[in-house]
Amino acid sequence: MTTAEQAPEGGPTALTGPGRAHTALVSPDSDAAAVHGVKRRRSLLDRPYALASPLLLVMALFFVGPLILTIIVSFWEYTQYSIEPAFVTTNYQDVFYQCVAKLPNLCVTFATYLSTLKFCFIVWAITLVLGFTLAWFIVFEVKKTSTQIALFLICTIPFWTSNVIRMMAWIPLLGRNGLVNQVLMSMGIVSEPQEWLLYSDFAVILAFIHLYTMFMMVPIVNSMMRIDREIIEAARDAGAGIWTIALSVIAPLCRPGIVIGSIFVITIVMGDYITVGVMGGQQIASVGKTIQVQMQYLQFPIAAANAVVLLGAVLMIIFAMTRLVDVRREL
Amino acid sequence: MTERPSRPGGLNRRKFLYGATATTALAASSNLFSPAVHAQDPVTLRYLGTAVNQSAEIAAKVKEDLGITIEYIPVTTDEVTRRVVTQPNTFDLVDIEYMSLKNVVPTGNLKGMDTKKIKESDNITTLFTEGTVDGKAVGDQGTAPKKVIWLPGESAKTFADEPTGFMSLIPTVYNADTLGIRPDLIGRPIESWAELLNPEFKGKASILNIPSIGIMDAALVVEALGKHKYEDKGNMTRDEIDLTVDTLIEAKRSGQFRALWQDFNESVNLMASGEVVIQSMWSPAVTAVRTQGIPCIYQPLKEGYRAWAAGFGLPATAEGKKLDAAYDFINWFLSGWAGAFLNRQGYYSAVLSTAKANMEPYEWAYWMEGKPAEQDIMSPSGQLLAKTGETRDGGSYEERLGAISCWNAVMDENVYMVRKWNEFVAS
C-alpha cells in the first residue's frame, strides 16, 4: 500500500483535484496533515480514522499478522515432520548456500533470481509499451465514449476465464505438432518443427504478456483520461511531433498510472510460479516454485526465509523504480 | 451401541489402554463378529486422500452395503502428508502413501490399527507383511512397506521390526512404476532405464518434477548407465545425491528433456501430443493415453520397477462411532468388491483372494496372471482397455511385483536432496 501511495504524491503536474483527493483518502495522516497543518489535525482524530479502521483491521489481520508470523518462522528450526521455535539463521544460510563461495558461478538462489528478474524486465518493458499504446488508442484515438467503454470491456473478456485456462490454451498452439508449427511448415517458412515455441523462455514471456498487459493498461488509461486535451493541442501548436508529445507530454503526465501498472506487473511476475511452470515445462526455476517445493516437504522455516528474501527483493525493486521515475521527472 | 455383546478377549487390553472409554472400545471390537449396518444410525466418514483413489463408485457401494456416507477430501499427495501432520482432526480416515510414514508416525498423529479387528489381516499380501512375492524376497531399497507397516502399539511414534498386531496402515493399492514410451515414435525395443538419458531421445524425454520420486527414477537410470551402484536408492548419501542430480543437470543442459512434469495430466498431454516419447509415468496415465487411441506402453525394464504403496490410516483422535465405522469400512474394502474394482484399473489390491472371488475368471487371467485377454477388457467405467488377445504390460502379478527394485521413499537427507533438486530445476 505505502509504495503505491507514494506514486501520486510526487507528481504535482498531473495531480490536480482527483489524484490528491484519492491520496488523502487512502492515507489520511501523512501528507494531508503536512499540507493543512494543525487545523486539520483535530478532525483527523475522528472521522478519517474511523473510516480507515476497517481497512486497517483487515490489513493488520490478513497482511501484517501473517507477514510477522512468516518472519518469525523463518528463524525456526525444523525436522522432516516438525517445526520448532528457535532463533537460528541457518535457514537464511541455506537460502544463500554457496552463493559467495561459488562466485563467479551463480548459486541456485542467484541464478533463480536472475532468471526471474530477466522475466520481470522483459515482461515489464513489453507490457509497458503495449499498455501505453493500447491506452493511447482508447483514450485519444477513439472519440465516442460508448465505443471507448466497449473497447475497454473487450480487453477484459479474457479475464472471464481462469488464469490457468488462458495459459493452457497456448499449449496446443505452440507445441511440436501444434497449429503454429503446422502453419509455418505448410507455408514453407520452416522445414522442421520449431521447438523453442513451447516450454521455453519465449513461451513464458508470451503467456505473461497475454495475462498481465491488462494490469498495465488499466492504470495508464485511468491516468490518461485525466489529461486535458488542450495540453496536447498546445504541444502540437508549439510544433511537437507525435513522439515528442508521447514521450515529453503524455508519458510524464501518466507517470502515476505507469508506476502503479509497473508495480502490479513486477510484483506478479516476481511471485509467479504457475505460468513459469506450465509454459516453461517445469524446466525454468522461479522463486515461487522453490518456495512451493519446500512447503510440500514441510520445510516451512526455509520456505519462510525464502519468502522474506523474495519480499525484500520485490520491495527493493519497487523502491528503485520509484527513484528512477523521480529522476526522470526532474530532467 | 454399548448394548452390543462384547468380545471377552479384547476386554482387558482395551481397558488398560482406554480406561474410562472402555465401553467405546467394546463396541468397536464387537464389530468383528457383526459388521454393523449403519443405516439406522447414519455415520459420515471424512476420507482424506488423493483424487486418484477416491472413486464415486466405491462411495456409492459402501453407502449401499454399510450405510456409511463417505465424504471425500481430495488433495495432492504432499497435501495428504501435510494435513496429517498439521491438522490431524480434519479427517476420520486417511489414504496415505507408505513413504510418508517416516514423516507422519513420529508426530503421533496416526493410531496403530489393531489387526484383530481386521478380518482379512492374515490374508494381506506378503509383499507388505514380509516383503516377498511367491516366497521370493523383492527389492527393499527405499521405504518398503515391510519396514514401516508394524508399530509397537496403538499410540506409537516408532516402527517395529517384527509383526506385532498393530499396523500403521492397512494397504489399499500399490503398483510398480516404470517408464512409459510411445512405441510408434521410437520404433525399437526399449529394455533399460538408461534409455531415458539416451541422446537419441534428445528433446523428447521427460522426468517427473516431484523430487522424492524423480530422484529414484534418476537413480535407476544412473545404475543402469553403470555410473554407480547404490547401497540404498531410497536413502542416499550426500555424495550420491550430488552424483545423481549432477547427471540430470548435465542431461538437462544438453537439452535431453522436453519438459518436466508434475501432475498426472501433464504427463498424459506430453505423451499424447508427441512432445515426449519416453518418460517417467504412472500406470493410469498410460491408460489415459491409450483410451485416446494413441499407442503407449508401460515398458517393463530389466533393472526392475520403482514400487509405491498406499494404505488406510486412522487419526490418533479417532474414537467411538466414527472409529467403528472406519474399521467397518476398511473390512468392507478388503472384502473383495473394492479390490476387484482396483485390479480392473490396473492397480493391485491388498487381499488377492477376496478380489479374485469378485472378478470374472477371464479378467483375473488378464490382470493377474499375465495371460492374453480371452475377450475385450473393460475399465470399471466401461472404456475399452485391451482387445481380445492382448496381454498386460509387465506380465503376471508375480513377474511384475517380483521385479521390484526399490520403493518410493523419504530420505534421511531429504532437506539436502530437495535443495539439490532445486538446483537441477534452476540449471
Side-chain angles (χ1 to χ4, degrees), chain A residues 280-322:
Chain A
Q282 309 279 0
Q283 294 218 69
I284 300 170
S286 58
V287 186
K289 178 73 199 175
T290 309
I291 295 174
Q292 191 218 14
V293 170
Q294 285 159 345
M295 299 271 287
Q296 277 174 356
Y297 287 87
L298 301 164
Q299 301 169 358
F300 292 110
I302 189 169
N306 254 314
V308 171
V309 172
L310 175 65
L311 182 70
V314 173
L315 286 178
M316 263 158 54
I317 294 171
I318 291 171
F319 180 75
M321 206 163 58
T322 50

Side-chain angles (χ1 to χ4, degrees), chain A residues 243-260:
Chain A
W243 287 102
T244 319
I245 294 174
L247 295 176
S248 313
V249 180
I250 307 295
L253 292 179
C254 291
R255 210 181 57 93
I258 291 172
V259 173
I260 292 170

